[in-house]
Amino acid sequence: QVQLVESGGGLVQPGGSLHLSCAASESIFSIDLMGWYRQAPGKQREWVASITRGGSTNYADSVKGRFTISRDNAKNTVYLQLSSLKPEDTAVYYCNARRSSGGLSYTIAWGQGTQVTVSS
């Protein structure tokens, strides 16, 4: 079973940037959908962005135009570039891997999360 390890979180001032990485323990070439989620204190985990095997991307409205998701199949890694960060982006960011079958998708792995704190 694939394992995911996130890195790159930290403390950044409003307006700043961070680059998150999600390293997989095996090839992600065949994984249908890689994504990022986040969970702020006292809130439910929410979807942030996803990228398909073919490279198509989707973003939550709250991060569209500020975050960029990408994948490097050769390095078995998915990235999330966070720019123009706001205090409300503060959360633990989780990497997610999903497979699709019969029109349905299901999670096959979660990472342990990396903390992003946006504060002056």
Side-chain angles (χ1 to χ4, degrees), residues 34-55:
M34 297 294 299
W36 288 91
Y37 289 71
R38 67 186 181 186
Q39 187 167 19
K43 295 187 177 181
Q44 289 189 334
R45 190 173 298 188
E46 64 175 0
W47 169 74
V48 174
S50 58
I51 185 167
T52 68
R53 287 178 60 188

Side-chain angles (χ1 to χ4, degrees), residues 1 3 51 80 84 91 113:
Q1 181 174 346
Q3 296 182 342
I51 185 167
L80 187 67
S84 302

Side-chain angles (χ1 to χ4, degrees), residues 2-18:
V2 63
Q3 296 182 342
L4 306 174
V5 178
E6 302 95 334
S7 61
L11 173 64
V12 63
Q13 292 186 341
S17 299
L18 281 174

Side-chain angles (χ1 to χ4, degrees), residues 20-74:
L20 306 184
S21 298
C22 169
S25 60
E26 59 186 65
S27 174
I28 64 170
F29 179 79
S30 63
I31 296 179
D32 298 301
L33 195 68
M34 297 294 299
W36 288 91
Y37 289 71
R38 67 186 181 186
Q39 187 167 19
K43 295 187 177 181
Q44 289 189 334
R45 190 173 298 188
E46 64 175 0
W47 169 74
V48 174
S50 58
I51 185 167
T52 68
R53 287 178 60 188
S56 296
T57 58
N58 278 293
Y59 299 91
D61 287 343
S62 59
V63 307
K64 199 171 295 184
R66 300 188 298 120
F67 293 6
T68 303
I69 188 172
S70 59
R71 63 192 288 170
D72 186 335
N73 291 337

